[in-house]
Amino acid sequence: MTDAHLKVFRGNPGEEGRFEDFAVPVEEGMVVLDALHWIQGHEAPDLAVRWNCKAAKCGSCSAEVDGRPSLTCKTRLSDFDLEQPITVEPMRAFPLIRDLVTDVSWNYEVNKTIQPFTPPDDVAQEDWRWQQQDIERVQEYRKCIECFLCQDVCHVLRNHETEKPFMGPRFLVRAAGLEMHPIDQADRRGYLKDSGGIGYCNITKCCTDVCPEHIRITDNAIIPLKERVVDAYYDPIQWAWRKLRGRGPDAGVGVELPVLQGSPPPTDHDTPD
Ligand code: SF4
Ligand code: SF4
Ligand code: FES
């Protein structure tokens, strides 16, 4: 039986951390999460790994495998050259809790700053009407499993390089689903520009590349939102029309996003973005 050689990050916050080597017997169909479970079962019972569904649907087993943000339950060992070691380390963008587990709670705080679905006050729910194509468009955004791999790969969040916080691609996806909902009445464009930091995104598409749900994050969420923000704030005709007519309340303008405190572990890899 062939062995896979895994180099797994071990460490706690405030420590330097280290990579430990494990030789894992490979069986057909094995994924990286299986190998981590084998390590827990045979060699390192205290290895911290987060997972739930093992079906690529809960979004909790996110880590960096050979430097690429990945779901460990969806990443097959057969996709690697088993002559070479496979590194497994925690997501770099978020503070470390232990070993492969990071604290992603910052994301939930950002989520709370987005104005939720806001239907009209004066139309009863049974009278809401929309086209099938509108529903199909917003369904793509609802496929998100909150794995935060897109947040992890985004160089803006990963390198903590901005003066102000940036909401990140996952929450631009959520905002797109609300802004493009045919029944929603709120106008989040001011929030996206000032609080969400949409201008920090330079459309590198790395977030789209790692999304396990194949959401076309940049093409179908970020670019249309950027266009809406530009229309509202930088096109003088649109700006004047909006002032005259309005679309809905400015939702979330002035809200401050929490600051993401990262504690990137040591790594052999450059930023993949
Ligand atoms: S396109 Fe690039 S910069 Fe923009 S959100 Fe995605 S990863 Fe970040
Ligand atoms: S948009 Fe895709 S990559 Fe980002 S959190 Fe959702 S499922 Fe994960
Ligand atoms: S364990 Fe649920 S997505 Fe991997």
Side-chain angles (χ1 to χ4, degrees):
M1 189 183 293
T2 317
D3 283 351
H5 298 276
L6 269 70
K7 288 169 78 75
V8 181
F9 178 82
R10 306 294 310 270
N12 293 295
E15 294 175 3
E16 195 163 326
R18 65 204 179 275
F19 284 94
E20 289 185 358
D21 295 333
F22 300 95
V24 179
V26 178
E27 291 180 19
E28 195 178 344
M30 220 167 159
V31 292
V32 171
L33 184 59
D34 292 323
L36 296 172
H37 285 162
W38 187 94
I39 293 168
Q40 279 183 323
H42 294 83
E43 297 201 8
D46 60 340
L47 175 67
V49 178
R50 183 161 50 212
W51 68 284
N52 275 290
C53 69
K54 203 169 178 286
K57 284 298 162 203
C58 74
S60 55
C61 66
S62 303
E64 298 189 10
V65 183
D66 264 0
R68 181 184 171 82
S70 311
L71 294 180
T72 58
C73 74
K74 199 182 175 187
T75 306
R76 287 183 180 272
L77 291 179
S78 56
D79 290 342
F80 295 87
D81 173 5
L82 296 182
E83 297 293 315
Q84 303 296 324
I86 302 166
T87 59
V88 187
E89 54 195 311
M91 289 193 284
R92 260 174 82 79
F94 304 112
L96 183 67
I97 293 178
R98 180 182 161 87
D99 297 342
L100 300 178
V101 179
T102 47
D103 178 0
V104 295
S105 59
W106 173 83
N107 293 286
Y108 305 120
E109 297 305 312
V110 172
N111 194 37
K112 288 181 203 163
T113 67
I114 301 173
Q115 168 89 11
F117 176 61
T118 309
D121 293 333
D122 54 352
V123 183
Q125 189 167 351
E126 57 269 27
D127 294 329
W128 296 353
R129 296 287 181 273
W130 54 66
Q131 301 294 318
Q132 184 61 30
Q133 66 202 41
D134 290 331
I135 290 305
E136 281 161 12
R137 180 165 65 166
V138 294
Q139 261 174 350
E140 178 181 12
Y141 313 121
R142 302 293 292 253
K143 290 194 305 178
C144 174
I145 59 170
E146 296 210 320
C147 62
F148 305 125
L149 293 173
C150 57
Q151 304 283 84
D152 183 46
V153 83
C154 175
H155 66 97
V156 182
L157 293 174
R158 190 177 176 91
N159 299 340
H160 309 286
E161 63 189 10
T162 57
E163 280 175 24
K164 288 173 60 182
F166 171 49
M167 64 200 296
R170 186 284 169 263
F171 296 104
L172 289 165
V173 166
R174 174 154 191 257
L178 292 163
E179 283 293 291
M180 295 179 207
H181 195 293
I183 302 297
D184 183 83
Q185 301 296 299
D187 184 347
R188 300 169 188 80
R189 291 175 293 183
Y191 162 85
L192 291 167
K193 178 172 82 69
D194 296 330
S195 306
I198 192 171
Y200 285 129
C201 166
N202 52 6
I203 319 180
T204 52
K205 297 199 179 186
C206 308
C207 47
T208 302
D209 286 347
V210 299
C211 178
E213 286 294 319
H214 307 293
I215 300 169
R216 296 179 66 197
I217 301 173
T218 32
D219 287 353
N220 290 353
I222 298 177
I223 291 172
L225 286 180
K226 276 179 174 278
E227 287 169 351
R228 286 169 185 230
V229 168
V230 168
D231 282 351
Y233 288 94
Y234 303 106
D235 177 331
I237 297 171
Q238 290 261 7
W239 180 85
W241 176 247
R242 181 165 169 264
K243 282 283 169 207
L244 275 174
R245 188 167 166 271
R247 186 174 84 94
D250 268 339
V253 172
V255 168
E256 286 198 12
L257 260 56
V259 174
L260 172 59
Q261 305 288 353
S263 62
T267 178
D268 295 339
H269 305 285
D270 293 333
T271 305
D273 206 353

